[in-house]
Amino acid sequence: MMEEDMENGRSYQERPRTFSTVRSKSSIPLALRLLMRINPRALIILSLLVFSGVLYVGASTSPIVVFVFCICTLSLFFSLYLTKWVLAKDEGPPEMSEISDAIRDGAEGFFKTQYGTISKMAFILAFVILGIYLFRTTTPQQEASGLGRATLAYITVASFLLGALCSGIAGFVGMWVSVRANVRVSSAARRSAREALQIAVRAGGFSAIVVVCMAVFGVAILYSTFYVWLGVDSPGSMKVTDLPLLLVGYGFGASFVALFAQLGGGIYTKAADVGADLVGKVEQGIPEDDPRNPAVIADLVGDNVGDCAARGADLFESIAAEIISAMILGGTMAQRCKIEDPSGFILFPLVVHSFDLVVSSVGILSIRGTRDSGLISPIEDPMAIMQKGYSVTIMLAVLTFGASTRWLLYTEQAPSAWLNFALCGLVGIVTAYAFVWISKYYTDYKHEPVRLLALSSSTGHGTNIIAGVSLGMESTALPVLVISVAIISAYWLGQTSGLVDESGNPTGGLFGTAVATMGMLSTAGYVLTMDMFGPIADNAGGIVEMSQQPESVREITDVLDAVGNTTKATTKGFAIGSAALASFLLFSAYMDEVASFAQLPFKEVDIAVPEIFVGGLLGSMLIFLFSAWACSAVGKTAQEVVKEVRRQFIERPGIMDYKEKPDYGRCVAIVASASLREMIKPGALAIISPMAVGVVFRILGHYTGQPLLGAKVVASMLMFATVAGILMALFLNTAGGAWDNAKKYIETGALGGKGSESHKAAVTGDTVGDPFKDTAGPSLHVLIKMLATITLVMAPIFL
């Protein structure tokens, strides 16, 4: 066929383009395939029965839980509306659909293989947890409630596996919508930039609503099930204030899957991206996403498995960990203050995120299409439109948050406490907005930092790297100042709320910080929408380039892609801020649990003790070693891609003239196998390190007469790892995003435009920043929260 085309003078460009699939069988999960075979009427009846059962369990727990279930159910219907609206849009000409099918096949095939590997590791870890809990000691409170070791072991393992399952589903949802929306955004860009923007936002909104809804639904169902099954608050049974501690396994399961999803997906997407850019742009001088580049399909697949699937699991884990930690602290404070009905303080996080679903849905719908065609005017650029939607969401969040605090946190013991906690929530909301603004300032090429970085490219590759590193380091200052002010302000507002324990000591400080964390995540649905928008827009640009659409269409997708880079960077900054607050809360819960198990006071960690200081050093080292291994994994895999792309250009010289077609599947196979192989080492480091350190120092403490030494060293390790991890993640995410948008700025025609020496230097900077912003950086804030949850779950082995 190829020889006939060359003899007839037909070029590859003129022939209908086909892209071989990279999977051999359906990658739809077995559970979904089974559901699709059920008769629709039977499925509706089954759904009604399940919903009725859930409502019954909720009603047996609290009316607040019923409210949460109803909001989540309505939100799921809204997500179905968004899905139907997006899928109703056309897929464009056949060449666009062919490219989209190849991307979808590659993404779904890798997702199935990756999550198959993760699920095996999750079951192994579940057996380890089961063994630890079967031989662990129990607290006096657990003994008094009649909970034996076996019951606690099975509860923790079930929670862990459910959290892992839900996290995996969240990742699948993120990937499922992105591989179907990308081609529809590409097609819409032929007509109107505003329409393309609206489709990308609503597609991202579907994923965001489902992820938040699943996080809230999962925790609420688990809480209600345990409440009913264990007969909570009945004579001789567990108190409701102790119940949230049983949910920690859920957060650990979500963190476990999110970490490996982020590592595997990040290695995949950035290895393909670096390999494609270094050979395609720098060596061959062809445009980004050019169909002649053998690694281009792998690059576009990576956007879905790395930025969509992994980010869905990441945000799910963030919300679940924050809800559980706030419920634990709410129950602890209510118990100390002897509040008559503590359910409001415990269930408050679920109500906040239920309202998050409502206000985020309004924000998503506020972005509407227009009949105007062409580029969005400079006065109303895509970022400004999305910022308007975010402003609407924030204003509604302030109102609903205030109403929630008055409804659930009012108590006769301190009538004005709810107002203090409402102000704590406001602190969190302002902190979230500040993080988004700071990240935008340092990564958007409309602002000075990125333009100065682009200017440094005019003097060479080295100066571009130096400028990018310095920008990333500088960008850590403002977020740290903001988070510091937020923690102190929220803690002070909580302490002065008027809630005191039996001795008259203020007890609301930590819960005030928890409320601030909830305030920060009270717009998580819309923030995740902005995050999902990025890779969908990036994929759309790739499809437009590969299908060789007119330049005017590519200009529209380029604008959306640049905005997507900024929104991804801002949401990563948002995630880091929430990770810092959530880790602080989980750290406090860890100290309380250790004190409960050991029956010894554990209120502070003295880093002047040599062993404890060493624990801090080990925690800081863990962050750097983890980051190094994550970046190294991208580098090793990218080298394989570079060699393969060079080989194809040498052995198939007709590729450059469109006379031969590249072997896209070979590059997809290379990055898929390498990413699964390379994600194991850094992931295992994160899981094994805290357990190994805790056990070693526990043994040392046994022989030196320090019974809490293992727990204290792990606490120091967690503290130092959190601080170092926050700074490192801020640096990596911001530097990588700035390098990417400096390149985009030059591609708009500045400093010589595409193909210039400045552009080549900017491409080098972008390739250096790729593993920073999409592999090591996002994995770090997942690591921070996973360290906090794993120490909480494994606390008994440190004693």
Side-chain angles (χ1 to χ4, degrees), residues 124-139:
I124 293 172
L125 186 56
F127 278 108
V128 172
I129 296 172
L130 181 64
I132 291 172
Y133 271 68
L134 284 175
F135 296 99
R136 65 177 269 181
T137 58
T138 53
T139 66

Side-chain angles (χ1 to χ4, degrees), residues 95-433:
E95 56 265 29
M96 281 188 175
S97 299
E98 290 167 4
I99 299 166
S100 175
D101 290 344
I103 295 169
R104 181 166 64 247
D105 289 349
E108 292 180 348
F110 176 75
F111 182 91
K112 180 179 180 181
T113 305
Q114 181 192 27
Y115 276 76
T117 303
I118 294 173
S119 63
K120 293 173 185 176
M121 294 188 292
F123 278 110
I124 293 172
L125 186 56
F127 278 108
V128 172
I129 296 172
L130 181 64
I132 291 172
Y133 271 68
L134 284 175
F135 296 99
R136 65 177 269 181
T137 58
T138 53
T139 66
Q141 294 88 342
Q142 291 166 348
E143 291 176 0
S145 62
L147 287 179
R149 292 178 182 177
T151 304
L152 285 172
Y154 293 127
I155 284 175
T156 304
V157 170
S159 300
F160 172 80
L161 291 176
L162 180 62
L165 175 64
C166 291
S167 185
I169 294 173
F172 177 77
V173 167
M175 183 272 300
W176 185 89
V177 68
S178 66
V179 296
R180 287 162 176 77
N182 52 16
V183 68
R184 290 167 170 81
V185 175
S186 302
S187 178
R190 298 178 304 148
R191 300 184 295 272
S192 165
R194 188 67 178 264
E195 183 184 353
L197 171 68
Q198 188 183 22
I199 294 173
V201 168
R202 291 198 170 189
F206 160 74
S207 177
I209 295 298
V210 171
V211 166
V212 176
C213 193
M214 281 183 54
V216 177
F217 232 144
V219 175
I221 288 176
L222 206 59
Y223 176 89
S224 301
T225 302
F226 291 160
Y227 187 97
V228 174
W229 176 41
L230 299 174
V232 173
D233 271 350
S234 59
S237 64
M238 173 179 278
K239 294 181 179 179
V240 70
T241 51
D242 296 325
L243 181 57
L245 278 170
L246 299 181
L247 308 178
V248 173
Y250 185 84
F252 182 32
S255 299
F256 176 83
V257 171
L259 180 67
F260 281 99
Q262 192 71 70
L263 276 172
I267 293 167
Y268 187 113
T269 183
K270 290 302 109 180
D273 196 2
V274 169
D277 284 354
L278 286 178
V279 182
K281 289 183 180 179
V282 178
E283 296 181 8
Q284 299 295 330
I286 59 179
E288 184 173 3
D289 300 326
D290 192 286
R292 293 169 290 180
N293 194 325
V296 66
I297 290 291
D299 184 11
L300 296 173
V301 169
D303 291 335
N304 295 286
V305 298
D307 289 334
C308 291
R311 294 297 291 156
D314 180 2
L315 264 293
F316 172 87
E317 178 268 339
S318 294
I319 295 168
E322 175 267 329
I323 289 175
I324 293 169
S325 59
M327 291 175 75
I328 291 172
L329 291 176
T332 302
M333 187 194 70
Q335 187 176 29
R336 289 175 180 171
C337 297
K338 304 295 182 183
I339 293 175
E340 186 177 346
D341 182 11
S343 60
F345 288 85
I346 296 172
L347 299 175
F348 179 66
L350 295 174
V351 173
V352 168
H353 283 291
S354 297
F355 281 122
D356 171 22
L357 290 167
V358 176
V359 300
S360 296
S361 299
V362 174
I364 292 166
L365 292 176
S366 69
I367 298 178
R368 299 182 176 275
T370 65
R371 296 180 181 178
D372 299 331
S373 60
L375 281 168
I376 298 174
S377 65
I379 299 175
E380 196 178 28
D381 64 85
M383 194 67 206
I385 295 171
M386 297 187 75
Q387 285 281 25
K388 287 180 182 177
Y390 186 46
S391 299
V392 169
T393 305
I394 280 185
M395 287 189 292
L396 292 174
V398 170
L399 296 175
T400 56
F401 202 95
S404 300
T405 53
R406 180 62 181 82
W407 173 26
L408 298 173
L409 303 185
Y410 177 82
T411 173
E412 294 293 341
Q413 294 175 232
S416 62
W418 73 270
L419 183 57
N420 281 49
F421 291 128
L423 292 175
C424 290
L426 184 61
V427 167
I429 293 171
V430 171
T431 301
Y433 190 84

Side-chain angles (χ1 to χ4, degrees), residues 754-786:
K754 294 181 180 180
S756 64
E757 292 301 316
S758 297
H759 184 240
K760 291 180 180 179
V763 170
T764 300
D766 181 32
T767 55
V768 171
D770 277 340
F772 284 18
K773 67 183 175 68
D774 288 321
T775 308
S779 298
L780 273 177
H781 60 77
V782 180
L783 170 66
I784 292 168
K785 287 171 289 186
M786 198 192 77

